C-alpha cells in the first residue's frame, strides 16, 4: 500500500536522523536538506538510496537536484511510488 | 646547519592506542610494561594463521558521534581523536581563528598513514558484490584516500598553511613529523599538527603480511608475541591507533606562553635502494639516515640519552638497526638507553612514528625511558643497552632522544628531540 504524505515525511525524518544526526522533529516539509539539515551532496545520495528502499520508488540521479526541501522529496515520492 | 633555521618545539601531544584512549593512559601502560596485544576473536580470524593483534583500547565510536563517524574511515577517526587531544593539550581553546593566538594561514597539518582507508575500501567492495552498485557509499572515496586523516584534522582545526600526507609504509608517521618540523623551520607555518595513524586490522592485510612471513604466529601467547631483541622473535604484531603532536616555532610558543615539552631538532633521512620489503642487512641505509641527522641538525651524540628504536620484532630488522646505531655512534651508544615500545603497542605501521614520537617526547619530559618487554633471551647480536622489563631514569641536564622509523621500500627516518 502506498505511503501517505505524512508517513513519507516521518520516514524521511528517520532517514535524515540516521544519516545526519538531526532530531526527527526538526525535519519538516519546509526544511532544506543542505541549508537546514546538514545533508551535503554526498549525504543526499545516501538519503535518496535509503528513501528508494523504504518507499519502493526509483529516484534517478537527474531528479535528485530538484529535491531541495523535505517537502520536495515527499511530493516526489508520493507521486512516483507504486 | 641550515641558516634559515627557526627553533621548533613540541607543545602538545595526543594519542589513542592499544594501551589507552589518550596519551596519559598510554604512557602509564608503557611504564608498567603492559602488553596491548589480544586474541582476535572475530569470526573472520578463525581461518588466519595470525589470530592476534594490538587492538585499540577505546573504540572511536564511543567518542565520535555516529553521523560524523559514518563519513570517516577508522584511521581518520583515530587521527581526529589524537589531534583533538594534542590541540587541547597545547592550550588552544578552539579552532585556529576562533582562538586568536593562532592564525589559520600559519597553521598546517601533516598526518600520515601507511595504507590509508583499507577497511573502507575492502568493506565497500564487499557491499558492491553483495548488495550492488547503488549501495556503495558516496563517502567511499573521501574515506579511503590516504590524505583523509590529514584533511579532516585540517578542516576541524581550520589549518590553511598546507595539509600533507607523506606515505612511506611504516616510516610514514615519522616522515609526517619530520616534514612538519621543516615547514616551521623554513617559515611556511608557525604551528603544525603532525603524526601518524593506522587502522588495518582486517583479514586481508593480516593474510598478506602473514604470507610475507612478517608477522608473529605466536597465537597461544598474545601478550608475549611482540618480543623485539629476543632470540626467538618471529615477526611483528599488527597494532592500530594514532599519535599526534603539536609542533610550533619556539617564538610562537613563547609569544602565547605555551608549555614546552621539548625541542624538535629535526630529521635524518635516507633510502636503502636495496629491496622492496627486506631491510638492508648491514644497516647501511639506517646509518646513512643517522649520519644525515647529525650532519644537518644540531644533534650531539654525547647528549643522546635515549633511543626509541624501530625494532618491530622481526629477525633481520631488529639486529640491523642496532648494528647501524653502533656503526655511527661507536662508544657513545653505550650511554643510550634503547627502548622498543612495539613490544607493548604492537606495530602501528604508519601510526608507529606518531605514537613513538609521543612516547619519546614523554620520555624526555619525565626523564624516564619506557621498558622493552618479552625479552627472555637477548639476541647476542644486539650490542646495545636495551631497557628491559622496568623503566629507567634518564640523566639530568640537557638530553637528546631519537625516534627511529623504517618502512618497506627502504625508507629510513630518524627524528631527534632535546630538552634542557
Amino acid at each position: 500500500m502506498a505511503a501517505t504524505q505524512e508517513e513519507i515525511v516521518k520516514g524521511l525524518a528517520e532517514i535524515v536522523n540516521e544519516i545526519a544526526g538531526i532530531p526527527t522533529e526538526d525535519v519538516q516539509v519546509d526544511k532544506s536538506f543542505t541549508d537546514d539539515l546538514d545533508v551535503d551532496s554526498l549525504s543526499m545520495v545516501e538519503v535518496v538510496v535509503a528513501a528508494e528502499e523504504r518507499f519502493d520508488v526509483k529516484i534517478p540521479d537527474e531528479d535528485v537536484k530538484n529535491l531541495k526541501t523535505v517537502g520536495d522529496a515527499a511530493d516526489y515520492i508520493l507521486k512516483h511510488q507504486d | 646547519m641550515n641558516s634559515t633555521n627557526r627553533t621548533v618545539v613540541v607543545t602538545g601531544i595526543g594519542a589513542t592506542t592499544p594501551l589507552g584512549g589518550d596519551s596519559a593512559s598510554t604512557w602509564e601502560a608503557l611504564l608498567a610494561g603492559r602488553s596491548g596485544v589480544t586474541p582476535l576473536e572475530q569470526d573472520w580470524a578463525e581461518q588466519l594463521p595470525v589470530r592476534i593483534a594490538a587492538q585499540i583500547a577505546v573504540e572511536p565510536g564511543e567518542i565520535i558521534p555516529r553521523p560524523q563517524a559514518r563519513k570517516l574511515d577508522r584511521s581518520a577517526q583515530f587521527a581526529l581523536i589524537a589531534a583533538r587531544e594534542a590541540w587541547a593539550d597545547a592550550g588552544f581553546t578552539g579552532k585556529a581563528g576562533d582562538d586568536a593566538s593562532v592564525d589559520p594561514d600559519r597553521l598546517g597539518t601533516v598526518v600520515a598513514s601507511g595504507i590509508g582507508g583499507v577497511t573502507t575500501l575492502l568493506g565497500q567492495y564487499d557491499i558492491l558484490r553483495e548488495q550492488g552498485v547503488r549501495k556503495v557509499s558516496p563517502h567511499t572515496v573521501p574515506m579511503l584516500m590516504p590524505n583523509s586523516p590529514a584533511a579532516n584534522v585540517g578542516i576541524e582545526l581550520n589549518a590553511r598553511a598546507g595539509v600533507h600526507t607523506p606515505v612511506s609504509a611504516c616510516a610514514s608517521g615519522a616522515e609526517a613529523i619530520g616534514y612538519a618540523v621543516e615547514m616551521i623551520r623554513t617559515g611556511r607555518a608557525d604551528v603544525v599538527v603532525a603524526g601518524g595513524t593506522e587502522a588495518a586490522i582486517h583479514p586481508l592485510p593480516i593474510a598478506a603480511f602473514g604470507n610475507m612471513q612478517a608477522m608473529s604466529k605466536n597465537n597461544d601467547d598474545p601478550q608475549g608475541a611482540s618480543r623485539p631483541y629476543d632470540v626467538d622473535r618471529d615477526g611483528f604484531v599488527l597494532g592500530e591507533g594514532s599519535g599526534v603532536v603539536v609542533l610550533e616555532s619556539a617564538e610562537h610558543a613563547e609569544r602565547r606562553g605555551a608549555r614546552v615539552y621539548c625541542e624538535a631538532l629535526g630529521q635524518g633521512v635516507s633510502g636503502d635502494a636495496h629491496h622492496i620489503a627486506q631491510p638492508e642487512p648491514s644497516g647501511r641505509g639506517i646509518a646513512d639516515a643517522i649520519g644525515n641527522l647529525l650532519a644537518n641538525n644540531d644533534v650531539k651524540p654525547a647528549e643522546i640519552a635515549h633511543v626509541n628504536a624501530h625494532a618491530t620484532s622481526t629477525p633481520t630488522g631488529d639486529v640491523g638497526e642496532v648494528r647501524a646505531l653502533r656503526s655511527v655512534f661507536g662508544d657513545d651508544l653505550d650511554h643510550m638507553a634503547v627502548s622498543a615500545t612495539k613490544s607493548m603497542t604492537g606495530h602501528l605501521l604508519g601510526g608507529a612514528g606518531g605514537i613513538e614520537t609521543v612516547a619519546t617526547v614523554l620520555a624526555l619530559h619525565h626523564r624516564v625511558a619506557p621498558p622493552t618487554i618479552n625479552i627472555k633471551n637477548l639476541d647476542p647480536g644486539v650490542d646495545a643497552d636495551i631497557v628491559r622489563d622496568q623503566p629507567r631514569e634518564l640523566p639530568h641536564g640537557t638530553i637528546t632522544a631519537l625516534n627511529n622509523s623504517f618502512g618497506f621500500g627502504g625508507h629510513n627516518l630518524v627524528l631527534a628531540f632535546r630538552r634542557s
Side-chain angles (χ1 to χ4, degrees):
Chain A
M1 215 174 85
T4 63
Q5 161 94 7
E6 197 184 342
E7 285 165 346
I8 293 168
V9 172
K10 183 169 170 285
L12 287 171
E14 286 168 14
I15 290 167
V16 170
N17 173 258
E18 165 72 16
I19 288 166
I22 303 292
T24 50
E25 62 270 26
D26 292 350
V27 184
Q28 305 287 343
V29 283
D30 60 335
K31 292 288 162 67
S32 154
F33 286 106
T34 310
D35 300 336
D36 303 320
L37 302 175
D38 205 22
V39 175
D40 64 15
S41 62
L42 299 184
S43 295
M44 189 63 195
V45 178
E46 289 187 289
V47 170
V48 164
V49 171
E52 285 184 334
E53 200 158 78
R54 183 162 183 148
F55 302 113
D56 195 21
V57 61
K58 284 272 167 282
I59 310 176
D61 291 345
E62 57 270 26
D63 290 346
V64 172
K65 60 180 184 300
N66 300 322
L67 309 181
K68 305 282 188 213
T69 66
V70 175
D72 295 341
D75 290 346
Y76 187 96
I77 292 164
L78 196 61
K79 206 162 108 191
H80 291 85
Q81 65 186 348
D82 294 327
Chain B
M1 272 182 56
N2 186 335
S3 61
T4 61
N5 263 357
R6 299 200 303 165
T7 302
V8 181
V9 294
V10 180
T11 55
I13 54 171
T16 183
T17 75
L19 298 175
D22 59 15
S23 55
S25 55
T26 298
W27 180 243
E28 192 186 344
L30 286 172
L31 292 188
R34 208 160 71 228
S35 167
V37 182
T38 52
L40 286 169
E41 280 158 354
Q42 296 87 332
D43 291 343
W44 53 252
E46 278 172 29
Q47 53 163 343
L48 297 172
V50 173
R51 295 184 298 279
I52 51 173
Q55 300 173 86
I56 201 81
V58 177
E59 275 297 323
E62 292 175 28
I63 297 156
I64 296 179
R66 210 178 118 70
Q68 187 181 17
R70 64 205 304 281
K71 294 192 266 189
L72 293 170
D73 181 76
R74 192 171 168 83
S75 63
Q77 296 179 24
F78 293 154
L80 264 187
I81 291 166
R84 285 172 183 172
E85 183 196 345
W87 189 249
D89 185 53
F92 295 115
T93 52
K95 67 181 184 181
D98 289 357
D99 182 326
S101 71
V102 55
D103 176 355
D105 292 335
R106 303 292 300 161
L107 171 67
T109 64
V110 192
V111 182
S113 153
I115 305 188
V118 67
T119 58
T120 294
L121 176 63
L122 295 168
Q124 291 298 319
Y125 186 53
D126 289 342
I127 287 172
L128 173 66
R129 286 182 308 171
E130 289 158 16
Q131 302 177 43
V133 174
R134 195 70 173 152
K135 294 309 282 286
V136 171
S137 169
H139 303 292
T140 302
V141 170
M143 286 171 76
L144 69 81
M145 55 194 201
N147 53 314
S148 183
N152 277 291
V153 170
I155 291 165
E156 180 157 313
L157 299 179
N158 200 19
R160 301 183 186 186
V163 172
H164 306 278
T165 306
V167 177
S168 48
C170 305
S172 302
E175 188 160 4
I177 291 164
Y179 189 96
V181 172
E182 297 294 331
M183 281 176 77
I184 298 170
R185 270 181 152 183
T186 54
R188 270 185 61 200
D190 292 327
V191 182
V192 182
V193 178
T197 186
E198 205 75 78
I201 298 177
H202 176 285
L204 185 77
I206 293 175
F209 279 123
N211 286 349
M212 293 176 84
Q213 312 302 321
M215 297 180 89
S216 173
K217 296 187 175 73
N218 201 349
N219 296 312
D220 297 331
D221 181 15
Q223 305 214 329
S226 183
R227 45 192 163 164
Y229 307 130
D230 185 88
V231 282
D232 292 321
R233 65 190 182 279
D234 66 336
F236 75 84
V237 175
L238 183 59
E240 63 177 355
S242 176
V244 170
V245 294
V246 175
L247 296 158
E248 192 165 354
S249 77
E251 202 185 342
H252 194 273
E254 195 185 342
R255 194 161 63 232
R256 68 182 187 92
R259 177 261 335 266
V260 171
Y261 282 102
C262 60
E263 193 180 333
L265 295 173
Q267 61 180 343
V269 185
S270 80
D272 273 353
H274 169 69
H275 188 278
I276 195 63
Q278 286 164 10
E280 201 284 321
S282 75
R284 163 180 54 77
I286 298 170
D288 287 348
I290 302 169
N292 177 265
L293 174 82
L294 298 177
N296 295 302
N297 301 278
D298 181 24
V299 178
K300 299 178 182 70
E303 285 179 358
I304 302 173
H306 172 53
V307 179
N308 187 307
H310 183 60
T312 62
S313 184
T314 58
T316 332
D318 294 12
V319 174
E321 179 180 12
V322 171
R323 204 173 281 145
L325 288 166
R326 180 62 75 184
S327 77
V328 178
F329 291 125
D331 291 346
D332 273 320
L333 184 60
D334 295 334
H335 58 72
M336 302 180 196
V338 178
S339 304
T341 47
K342 288 187 182 79
S343 59
M344 295 169 278
T345 62
H347 187 3
L348 276 73
L349 310 178
I355 66 164
E356 285 156 26
T357 290
V358 168
T360 306
V361 168
L362 285 172
L364 284 177
H365 184 65
H366 296 295
R367 292 188 190 273
V368 58
T372 308
I373 64 167
N374 295 328
I375 306 174
K376 285 188 184 139
N377 299 293
L378 186 69
D379 186 323
V382 176
D383 175 24
D385 182 9
I386 308 298
V387 183
R388 287 172 67 171
D389 303 321
Q390 299 294 326
R392 190 194 299 172
E393 216 173 296
L394 295 172
H396 292 287
T398 299
I399 53 172
T400 294
L402 306 184
N403 173 21
N404 291 347
S405 290
F406 317 124
F408 281 173
H411 310 268
N412 304 305
L413 258 292
V414 181
L415 301 172
F417 302 89
R418 176 172 63 198
R419 69 160 294 173
S420 51

